[in-house]
């Protein structure tokens, strides 16, 4: 039976009243959660709160149209804020906005060049590590909100968690996080409980962002100054966005267009830079809130951005009264739900190859230590490659069969020959004790690189110095072509 390929993009869902309600309520919950985070990331980047909030608005609205992964939320993020913070601190807002625009251009180019295809080289163990590290970072980000605060914060946070766990048993029509936020806000305002609120994070904008060119000199010097920051921004943003898209694909059992998502992230950042926002990428925490609330289409992403501005401009005083404890409870529950508990279960660890577990732990450790998901994924992938290379290197076997009359010996080599496995190849032969004619049979082997050709040349040379001849047989087409092209060319002639 022929296998049918999955469509590149998720097919459009029929618009129903239920879908509209689900998407709208999910978007509203996300918008409420975006406000304090966007303000916090603005502080990290060293800019006014409005700069982060404008980024959350323009990123979400734009990516809802041009992105490749429905229901994924893009906005200002901590990783991006850390990249651009030195630039904003040293040169000001104008250079920051110009860097955002240039980063968007880089992302469009990288997306068009097919950078999304590199995702196939991210092993499952790295993906699991990414998810677990993400859950840990989401949880750790809430810890400062629970330090040096009035005692009332703790029962409020506990009440919020309890509401979100129990309310779905009553009904799932309204997202439990939204119910929790509303109830806790009403309680704190009505009872006059003095606890940290959203308003304590910074002033909310009172008007929509307006387009304009970044206030920088348009010179080659400016370009060379911005390029390193913008390229780092582009790579970190794409890495986080593509990993998040892959995670949502797995959770929703749907497929999305990664190339379109890469280009869409670039377009969204270009728009954001021109509208005075600090730029961003996919947000795993808010995306998980959106998906866990039942959202599956672009509508929730679009409405999250729209609701964000409506809440800030039209309901600023009300939103400012939302206790941070309510939002902390939402994010803690998201962290618990995001963590892959099965991956650390004793039964799973017992069955899992040690190398896979090491890769997962390395990814988690690096992400948590650096607070940078992109660095963790790169280090984890490199670790996985090293583990794989070591494992495959031991699968090469060399066995010798001497002709009964003693006239020649045949060495049968089996396995994949590349830099890791071929390094020990030269020590597998009895140069002094073998007869004058040596046959190396590579029928069950494959030559992958120049290191193997160099190793075979070294074996041949060692035999020739003893007046013996070597015949290499059994090369498949690819191996023969590589051997014929490189043999004798890899060492300088003396």
């Amino acid at each position: 039976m022929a296998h049918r390929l999955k469509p590149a993009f998720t097919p459009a869902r029929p618009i129903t009243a239920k879908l509209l309600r689900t998407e709208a309520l999910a978007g509203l919950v996300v918008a409420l959660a975006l406000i304090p985070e966007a303000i916090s990331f603005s502080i990290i980047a060293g800019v006014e709160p409005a700069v982060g909030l404008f980024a959350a608005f323009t990123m979400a609205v734009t990516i809802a149209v041009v992105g490749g992964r429905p229901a994924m939320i893009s906005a200002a993020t901590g990783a991006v804020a850390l990249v651009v913070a030195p630039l904003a601190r040293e040169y000001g807002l104008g250079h920051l906005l110009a860097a955002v625009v240039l980063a968007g251009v880089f992302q469009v180019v990288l997306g068009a060049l097919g950078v999304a295809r590199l995702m196939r080289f991210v092993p499952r163990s790295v993906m699991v590590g990414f998810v677990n590290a993400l859950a840990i970072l989401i949880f750790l980000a809430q810890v400062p909100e629970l330090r040096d605060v009035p005692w009332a914060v703790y029962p409020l946070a506990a009440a919020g968690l309890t509401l979100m766990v129990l309310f779905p048993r009553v009904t799932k029509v309204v997202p439990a996080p939204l119910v929790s936020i509303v109830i806790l806000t009403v309680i704190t305002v009505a009872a006059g409980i003095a606890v940290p609120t959203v308003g304590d994070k910074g002033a909310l904008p009172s008007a929509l962002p307006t387009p304009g060119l970044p206030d920088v000199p348009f010179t080659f010097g400016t370009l060379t100054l911005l390029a390193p920051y913008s390229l780092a921004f582009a790579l970190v943003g794409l890495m986080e966005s593509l990993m998040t898209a892959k995670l949502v694909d797995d959770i929703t059992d749907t497929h999305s267009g990664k190339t379109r998502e890469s280009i869409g992230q670039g377009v969204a950042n270009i728009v954001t830079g021109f509208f005075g926002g600090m730029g961003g990428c996919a947000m795993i925490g808010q995306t998980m809130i959106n998906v866990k609330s039942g959202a599956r289409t672009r509508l929730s992403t679009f409405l999250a951005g729209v609701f964000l501005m409506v809440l800030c401009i039209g309901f600023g005083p009300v939103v400012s009264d939302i206790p941070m404890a309510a939002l902390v409870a939402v994010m803690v529950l998201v962290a618990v739900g995001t963590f892959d508990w099965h991956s650390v279960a004793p039964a799973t660890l017992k069955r899992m190859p040690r190398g896979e577990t090491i890769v997962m732990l390395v990814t988690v450790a690096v992400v948590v230590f650096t607070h940078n998901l992109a660095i963790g994924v790169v280090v984890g992938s490199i670790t996985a490659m090293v583990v794989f290379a070591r494992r495959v290197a031991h699968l090469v076997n060399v066995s010798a069969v001497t002709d009964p009359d003693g006239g020649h010996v045949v060495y049968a080599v089996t396995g994949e020959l590349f830099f890791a496995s071929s390094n020990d190849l030269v020590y597998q032969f009895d140069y002094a004790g073998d007869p004058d004619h040596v046959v190396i049979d590579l029928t069950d082997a494959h030559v992958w690189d120049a290191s193997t050709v160099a190793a075979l040349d070294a074996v041949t040379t060692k035999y020739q110095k003893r007046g013996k001849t070597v015949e290499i047989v059994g090369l498949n087409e690819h191996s023969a072509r590589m051997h014929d092209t490189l043999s004798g060319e890899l060492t300088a002639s003396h």
Side-chain angles (χ1 to χ4, degrees):
M1 181 184 293
H3 293 283
R4 304 178 72 178
L5 293 175
K6 290 183 177 180
F9 308 110
T10 306
R13 294 187 171 208
I15 298 177
T16 63
K18 181 181 179 182
L19 181 141
L20 288 173
R21 182 180 65 247
T22 300
E23 300 291 311
L25 291 174
L28 180 56
V29 175
V30 170
L32 290 169
L34 275 174
I35 293 173
E37 294 232 343
I39 295 173
S40 298
F41 297 146
S42 299
I43 295 170
I44 291 173
V47 295
E48 292 294 319
V51 178
L53 291 166
F54 287 158
F57 166 60
T58 53
M59 286 292 297
V61 170
T62 307
I63 206 69
V65 178
V66 300
R69 173 64 258 179
M72 191 165 76
I73 305 297
S74 291
T77 60
V80 166
L82 290 171
V83 171
V84 298
L87 182 66
R89 186 167 53 248
E90 188 76 20
Y91 297 97
L93 180 60
H95 282 74
L96 168 60
L97 299 181
V100 172
V101 174
L102 183 57
V105 173
F106 280 144
Q107 288 179 327
V108 170
V109 173
L110 290 169
L113 291 176
V115 69
R117 288 195 289 271
L118 295 177
M119 287 301 296
R120 72 183 67 180
F121 296 107
V122 178
R124 180 189 176 278
S125 52
V126 174
M127 189 67 192
V128 172
F130 167 84
V131 170
N132 289 344
L134 207 45
I136 294 171
L137 287 185
I138 292 172
F139 178 80
L140 291 178
Q142 312 314 310
V143 174
E145 304 296 338
L146 299 173
R147 287 178 180 163
D148 301 322
V149 293
W151 68 268
V153 168
Y154 304 108
L156 283 172
L161 287 169
T162 304
L163 273 170
M164 286 184 288
V165 171
L166 298 180
F167 189 78
R169 300 181 183 179
V170 179
T171 178
K172 294 183 179 180
V173 173
V174 181
L178 179 59
V179 174
S180 176
I181 291 170
V182 170
I183 291 178
L184 292 186
T185 303
V186 170
I187 290 174
T188 55
V189 172
I193 303 173
V195 291
T197 63
V198 170
D200 295 332
K201 291 291 184 179
L204 303 181
S206 57
L208 289 171
T210 54
L213 292 175
D215 183 17
V216 295
F218 291 89
T219 63
F220 182 72
T222 302
L223 181 63
T224 56
L225 170 67
L226 299 179
Y229 293 100
S230 296
L231 184 58
F233 180 126
L235 293 174
V236 168
L238 284 181
M239 180 75 75
E240 290 208 28
S241 298
L242 293 173
M243 291 293 286
T244 304
K246 190 172 186 295
L247 176 61
V248 178
D249 286 355
D250 293 340
I251 292 173
T252 61
D253 196 26
T254 56
H255 187 56
S256 60
K258 304 302 186 298
T259 296
R260 177 175 172 180
E261 183 61 41
S262 302
I263 296 173
Q265 287 289 329
V267 172
N269 275 307
I270 292 171
V271 171
T272 296
F274 284 131
F275 274 86
M278 60 181 279
C281 60
M283 296 190 76
I284 184 65
Q286 275 63 27
T287 296
M288 293 301 293
I289 292 174
N290 199 41
V291 173
K292 293 295 177 68
S293 296
R296 293 293 183 272
T297 75
R298 300 174 185 277
L299 183 60
S300 58
T301 306
F302 178 82
L303 290 177
V306 172
F307 285 150
L308 175 67
M309 279 294 101
V310 170
L311 289 168
C312 289
I313 297 171
F315 300 92
V318 176
V319 173
S320 296
D321 286 336
I322 295 175
M324 286 302 300
L327 297 175
V328 167
V330 171
M331 298 308 292
V332 167
L333 198 65
V334 167
V336 172
T338 300
F339 197 90
D340 186 350
W341 297 100
H342 177 72
S343 67
V344 295
T348 303
L349 294 175
K350 187 180 296 185
R351 290 193 299 268
M352 191 68 65
R354 183 176 300 174
E356 302 277 323
T357 302
I358 290 173
V359 169
M360 187 263 285
L361 293 176
V362 166
T363 304
V364 171
V366 172
V367 171
V368 172
F369 180 75
T370 64
H371 281 235
N372 190 314
L373 294 165
I375 294 176
V377 170
V378 170
V379 173
S381 297
I382 293 173
T383 304
M385 292 176 189
V386 172
V387 170
F388 173 76
R390 286 176 58 86
R391 187 182 302 162
V392 175
H394 295 302
L395 298 180
V396 173
N397 183 56
V398 179
S399 58
V401 177
T402 305
D403 185 69
D405 62 10
H408 70 276
V409 61
V410 178
Y411 283 92
V413 182
T414 61
E416 305 299 321
L417 298 174
F418 64 112
F419 63 89
S421 61
S422 59
N423 281 337
D424 292 332
L425 194 63
V426 70
Y427 305 112
Q428 305 299 316
F429 300 87
D430 184 5
Y431 301 103
D434 283 341
D436 292 341
H437 184 60
V438 177
V439 178
I440 301 177
D441 186 358
L442 300 177
T443 302
D444 296 320
H446 187 94
V447 176
W448 283 104
D449 59 6
S451 297
T452 302
V453 177
L456 291 172
D457 283 354
V459 172
T460 302
T461 300
K462 285 181 178 293
Y463 276 115
Q464 287 174 343
K465 286 180 178 179
R466 291 172 171 78
K468 302 176 182 181
T469 60
V470 176
E471 180 184 4
I472 298 177
V473 301
L475 290 166
N476 59 36
E477 183 180 352
H478 176 274
S479 300
R481 186 165 58 249
M482 179 167 287
H483 186 266
D484 293 344
T485 302
L486 297 178
S487 182
E489 303 294 330
L490 298 174
T491 56
S493 56
H494 298 282

